[in-house]
């Protein structure tokens, strides 16, 4: 990655402790490392590597905010607050990050990835999908399902050459579907609400392959 991108990532990394406690930072750095892995294994361009790595660093930046602060961000940016508070931070993250770091650092591609990292959405880009997956497969996630899907992703990836773009993209799609499938099943078993964007993301992913 070029020096400009490296400097931007360093600027974000240095500021993160102001917004995240130690536990969240550990998770964030786990997601970041998983995205570095994606960059290498999928042979991403410098721009895509920057997008996915910056999105990883920024994705949970509003998760420690109080509900009042989160609602204030929604008002400032004319966002309708979601009904489930667990997904609130995916909508507030990008506008908040832009306020802090500016639009030259927090590009539209980064905003897109942050804004669907919990639920997915219709028409996810490759970097959207990578952040969505990395948030689930980072090594700090100890749940069995996270471990299983991480092993599947990393194991299958080893069998594919970096130049086989179609096979890599199919593996990424399969992993996204496994995560959505697991999450929806889990939410149903627990009697919890499913965000409509997740259902829309599932339907879109099923028609992609
Ligand atoms: Fe999150
Ligand atoms: Fe996260």
């Amino acid at each position: 990655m070029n020096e400009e991108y490296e400097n931007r990532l360093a600027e974000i990394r240095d500021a993160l402790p102001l917004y995240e406690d130690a536990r969240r930072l550990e998770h964030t750095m786990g997601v970041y490392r998983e995205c570095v892995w994606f960059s290498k294994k999928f042979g991403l361009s410098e721009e895509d590597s920057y997008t996915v790595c910056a999105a990883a660093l920024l994705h949970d930046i509003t998760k420690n905010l109080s509900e009042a602060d989160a609602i204030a961000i929604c008002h400032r940016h004319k966002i309708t607050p979601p009904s489930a508070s667990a997904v609130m931070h995916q909508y507030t993250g990008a506008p908040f990050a832009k306020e802090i770091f500016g639009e030259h650092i927090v590009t539209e591609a980064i905003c897109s990835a942050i804004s669907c990292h919990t639920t997915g959405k219709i028409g996810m880009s490759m970097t959207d999908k990578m952040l969505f997956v990395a948030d689930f497969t980072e090594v700090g996630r100890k749940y069995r399902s996270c471990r299983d899907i991480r092993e599947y992703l990393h194991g299958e990836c080893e069998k594919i050459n970096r130049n086989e773009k179609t096979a890599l993209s199919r593996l990424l799609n399969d992993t996204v579907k496994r995560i959505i499938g697991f999450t929806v099943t889990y939410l149903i078993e627990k009697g919890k609400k499913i965000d409509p964007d997740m259902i829309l993301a599932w339907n879109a992913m099923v028609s992609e392959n």
Side-chain angles (χ1 to χ4, degrees):
M1 211 181 297
N2 69 39
E3 208 184 325
E4 166 66 21
Y5 286 147
E6 290 290 359
N7 289 342
R8 290 186 200 173
L9 291 177
E11 185 179 337
I12 299 170
R13 234 180 352 242
D14 290 349
L16 273 187
L18 295 171
Y19 307 99
E20 298 191 3
D21 59 26
R23 215 177 114 248
R24 189 154 323 281
L25 260 181
E26 203 182 319
H27 161 68
T28 295
M29 293 316 291
V31 177
Y32 172 75
R33 282 189 288 274
E34 193 74 341
C35 286
V36 171
W37 176 83
F38 266 126
S39 298
K40 288 186 185 142
K41 290 289 177 180
F42 281 60
L44 297 189
S45 67
E46 290 202 335
E47 190 181 352
D48 284 341
S49 295
Y50 169 69
T51 297
V52 81
C53 290
L57 291 174
L58 292 167
H59 82 286
D60 276 345
I61 195 164
T62 50
K63 208 164 174 178
N64 274 121
L65 290 184
S66 67
E67 202 179 329
D69 285 342
I71 288 173
I73 296 173
C74 290
H75 285 319
R76 282 207 295 283
H77 295 275
K78 301 184 175 43
I79 300 164
T80 312
S83 54
S85 61
V87 299
M88 171 75 103
H89 75 285
Q90 90 168 4
Y91 301 108
T92 53
F96 186 71
K98 264 195 207 170
E99 284 179 359
I100 299 167
F101 299 103
E103 285 180 12
H104 68 296
I105 288 187
V106 188
T107 61
E108 280 313 305
I110 294 170
C111 292
S112 172
I114 298 172
S115 68
C116 67
H117 79 265
T118 307
T119 59
K121 67 177 178 186
I122 294 176
M124 293 170 86
S125 68
M126 180 180 60
T127 46
D128 292 344
K129 290 171 188 170
M130 286 175 176
L131 178 62
F132 179 85
V133 169
D135 193 32
F136 194 89
T137 57
E138 67 100 354
V139 286
R141 300 269 200 212
K142 303 294 183 202
Y143 297 112
R144 172 149 195 188
S145 53
C146 299
R147 240 181 25 229
D148 287 351
I149 293 178
R150 179 168 60 243
E151 279 169 19
Y152 165 76
L153 170 66
H154 287 241
E156 291 302 308
C157 192
E158 283 310 312
K159 301 175 193 165
I160 304 172
N161 188 294
R162 233 173 76 139
N163 301 320
E164 293 177 60
K165 300 290 179 201
T166 311
L168 287 170
S169 132
R170 193 173 302 129
L171 173 62
L172 182 62
N173 286 355
D174 278 348
T175 312
V176 171
K177 283 195 284 187
R178 278 171 191 243
I179 294 170
I180 297 177
F182 165 79
T183 307
V184 168
T185 309
Y186 172 85
L187 292 170
I188 290 171
E189 278 170 4
K190 296 283 173 193
K192 292 186 175 178
K193 282 184 190 167
I194 303 166
D195 191 288
D197 277 336
M198 185 163 261
I199 304 294
L200 294 173
W202 171 262
N203 289 343
M205 293 303 301
V206 168
S207 24
E208 250 188 63
N209 268 359

